Structures are given as structure tokens and as C-alpha cells.
Amino acid sequence: MNDPRILEAILLAEGVTPPSSEKDLIQAWQLLVDTGMAWKLQGWFGRRAQDLIDEGLINPPGNAGS
């Protein structure tokens, strides 16, 4: 995990760093999904990411342009 954007996304997703907007939080989750980190971290990350996908708030892996 050498990408500082991933660490920032994790901190936003965990609520450690407050997002400046809802859009920033959604972008953080999308980055975690796009990089696969959502499924490499603690189980709740993957479950929450899947919830956001199911709700249509973020795109599933490999479907970033939809």
C-alpha cells in the first residue's frame, strides 16, 4: 500500500478523517473497490463496499465507467 490515496481513502471510510463532502466519501469508497483494497482489509470494508454497490452509489470492480 504505497499509494497515499489509498491510506486517505481508508481513513475517510473509517471516519477517522471527516470527508469534506459526501462526494469525497463516495470517491474514497470507489477507490477502495477499484484497487481491490475493500476486500483485502477487515471484513466490514468489503461488506460496506458491496452495500454501496448494491445501492448504486459506487460501481462494481472493473466497471468504473458505468
Side-chain angles (χ1 to χ4, degrees):
M1 182 173 43
N2 294 331
D3 188 339
R5 297 174 309 141
I6 294 174
L7 178 57
E8 182 180 339
I10 292 168
L11 294 174
L12 285 167
E14 286 186 315
V16 174
T17 302
S20 58
S21 68
E22 186 71 19
K23 180 180 177 184
D24 286 346
L25 184 57
I26 294 299
Q27 288 176 335
W29 277 104
Q30 187 66 62
L31 178 65
L32 294 177
V33 168
D34 291 346
T35 60
M37 285 302 296
W39 289 273
K40 293 177 183 175
L41 298 167
Q42 295 177 6
W44 73 267
F45 279 94
R47 291 188 297 274
R48 181 64 182 135
Q50 188 60 56
D51 288 345
L52 292 169
I53 291 167
D54 292 345
E55 293 169 17
L57 295 172
I58 62 174
N59 295 307
N63 200 13
S66 298

